[in-house]
Amino acid sequence: MEQSLPPGLYIVATPIGNLGDMTSRAADTLCRVDYILAEDKRVTAKLLAHIGAKAPMMTYHDHSDERLRERILSDLATKAVALVSDAGTPLISDPGYKLVRAARQAGLSINTLPGPSAAIAALTLAGLPTDRFLFLGFLPAKAKARADAIAEIASFRASLVLYESGPRLGDTLSALAGGLGDRDAAVIREITKLHEECGSGTLSELASRYADAPPRGEIVIIVGPPPRPAPATSDDLDAALDEALGRLSPSRAAAEVAERIRLPRKHVYARAMERAG
Ligand code: SAM
């Protein structure tokens, strides 16, 4: 009999394809908890069989009813309870947030066991900047809501990470190209599985590649950040100043132009005085 764990919630990341990616701490924890909250018991049963864990399972989703959550919360005071999703890290486009929030509010013990997540794995494969990224999860399915969601983040200077399914991939890539411009991107499929694949190109190239041939399997899209605007030339500066000086004092014209074309205000003011004189 395994030694039991201190009571509390154990958030356990599981493999996204290759079972060898299960950490030994995750396997040990799933063997020792009192029970496991799973999204789909049939999926998790396969993982438990692989590691020899025998803990009972209960289905949990964030839309599970409030009484179930209350019951789990009262258990957490005396029992060790694991939360897993079908694959990857719980709470990342997966259930768990409401349970963690309630457990936090109740002052219960919460432990996380980090491990695979398709978003992070895809970023490591794409060959696009990783210093700043924005995780968008799944975009809305309806065209208008999807276009609005894309417009909301269009000027954000970061790589974008999106989850998508094969049948919707072509439409989503076209919508991204329309809303963001033809940025560099990558479509990464079946990470850590037999048919892992990373296709790179611009958004419109990828959209036409996948338009009539929706790929199978699980997919992450990574979109590179917007290109940096070319620095303003001295002709750009003079044209902007001449226009602004027709409306404003040299000082105000310099302030407006410096802000717009991102040049030091002192330099722009000196040039404004020359143009005004
Ligand atoms: N919580 C999970 C995680 O941490 O990766 C994500 C769950 S979300 C419901 C499922 C989506 O993740 C899939 O539709 C796909 O977009 C992405 N995904 C999961 N496994 C993947 C894999 N092996 N390769 C590519 N994408 C994957």
Side-chain angles (χ1 to χ4, degrees), residues 13-18 39 85-95 115-122 125 135 137-138 162-166 188-193 196-197 217-221:
T14 58
I16 56 171
N18 188 325
E39 244 188 305
S85 52
D86 286 353
T89 301
L91 283 86
I92 307 302
S93 290
D94 265 337
S117 184
I120 300 295
L125 290 169
F135 176 66
F138 292 95
L162 302 101
Y163 287 159
E164 196 43 282
S165 68
I188 301 123
R189 223 168 56 77
E190 297 288 86
I191 303 168
T192 75
K193 302 186 197 175
E196 178 177 305
E197 185 179 79
E218 305 207 82
I219 296 159
V220 182
I221 304 170

Side-chain angles (χ1 to χ4, degrees), residues 39-80:
E39 244 188 305
D40 182 333
K41 292 199 273 184
R42 284 164 310 174
V43 174
T44 299
K46 291 182 196 152
L47 179 72
L48 298 190
H50 175 75
I51 60 173
K54 303 212 164 40
M57 281 186 280
M58 195 196 296
T59 308
Y60 176 80
H61 296 114
D62 274 338
H63 51 262
S64 296
D65 85 41
E66 208 53 51
R67 274 170 309 181
L68 174 62
R69 204 157 25 249
E70 288 302 324
R71 200 180 118 199
I72 296 167
L73 287 175
S74 76
D75 281 348
L76 289 176
T78 56
K79 291 184 172 142

Side-chain angles (χ1 to χ4, degrees), residues 11 25 38 45 70 78 91 100 121 126 137 142 152 165 167 172 192 224 256 263 271:
I11 301 156
R25 184 171 166 233
E70 288 302 324
T78 56
L91 283 86
V100 171
K142 295 206 170 123
E152 203 181 352
S165 68
T172 297
T192 75
E256 183 189 286
L263 283 174
R271 187 68 184 151

